Amino acid sequence: MIEGFKPECLAILEEAACKFYTALARKVKDPRLSKALEVVGLESKNHYEIIVAFFGKPAGAEDCRRFFGEEGFRMVEEMLQVAERLSSGVEVSLEEVASLLERFNSVEKVAGEEIYSKLYSVLIAEECKGLASLLMRSIASQEDFHYKVVEEVARTLRREAQANRERCPE
């Protein structure tokens, strides 16, 4: 394995993504957009379960700080905080949901869950053999799909928010 590489840390990332996208899906009123985010959340849960089955759970989140780097670790913690806040019943606007999606899906923020998972899943696939390699490659391709889905949902929410503002100016 690559020195310092802790594939089990990806479980923390996928668990955070599951909670984040599932919480956002509940806030989106359009059933198509909500379902798209729910799918990303459920697939992230599946990725979590695959990673735990093959690599186990990390000893603790702090054990993964070096693996992600400070910015990456902070982003994962922030995703969990946002998911908790959203699950507490707070209301959010279409624009706020779009902003959250863009923030955690942004290429510029390489700490974003989907980009990290895609990169690390490919690295794991290169290091592993057999079924683990096949499953990690599958996760990597699904992460690319997640990125595109989230990007499109955010774009659609922005358009809907703009249309709402034009219909009902302040």
Side-chain angles (χ1 to χ4, degrees):
M1 272 295 176
I2 299 166
E3 187 178 336
F5 193 62
K6 295 179 163 275
E8 66 274 14
C9 289
L10 286 171
I12 291 171
L13 215 49
E14 292 294 350
E15 182 177 38
C18 172
K19 290 177 179 180
F20 177 76
Y21 291 117
T22 302
L24 279 174
R26 291 185 195 114
K27 297 297 180 181
V28 175
K29 303 220 183 330
D30 182 318
R32 299 163 301 151
L33 300 179
S34 177
K35 183 52 76 176
L37 292 175
E38 184 182 329
V39 165
V40 172
L42 290 172
E43 287 184 355
S44 295
K45 180 181 182 203
N46 186 45
H47 296 172
Y48 166 84
E49 291 170 353
I50 291 169
I51 290 162
V52 168
F54 280 87
F55 303 105
K57 289 184 179 182
E62 283 298 319
D63 191 42
C64 296
R65 185 179 291 275
R66 270 196 14 218
F67 174 74
F68 293 123
E70 286 303 318
E71 178 65 11
F73 191 76
R74 189 187 62 70
M75 293 288 282
V76 171
E77 287 180 325
E78 191 177 337
M79 284 179 88
L80 288 168
Q81 290 167 356
V82 168
E84 188 176 315
R85 185 174 66 88
L86 292 171
S87 296
S88 74
V90 69
E91 290 299 317
V92 290
S93 69
L94 293 177
E95 284 186 342
E96 289 172 301
V97 173
S99 291
L100 287 168
L101 290 171
E102 290 163 352
R103 174 164 171 68
F104 291 104
N105 206 40
S106 172
V107 175
E108 290 79 35
K109 302 280 188 192
V110 177
E113 188 276 337
E114 301 301 338
I115 301 303
Y116 253 138
S117 288
K118 182 178 178 183
L119 292 174
Y120 286 132
S121 294
V122 170
L123 287 173
I124 292 170
E126 295 301 321
E127 293 288 322
C128 299
K129 303 289 183 242
L131 186 56
S133 177
L134 183 62
L135 288 168
M136 291 302 107
R137 288 182 191 282
S138 172
I139 288 173
S141 69
Q142 288 174 352
E143 295 300 344
D144 187 47
F145 170 71
H146 292 178
Y147 181 83
K148 291 173 184 171
V149 167
V150 170
E151 186 178 56
E152 185 58 33
V153 169
R155 189 174 14 258
T156 302
L157 289 170
R158 287 256 182 238
R159 282 193 305 263
E160 286 181 13
Q162 178 65 35
N164 288 345
R165 276 194 307 278
E166 289 171 1
R167 275 193 303 270
C168 305
E170 292 178 26

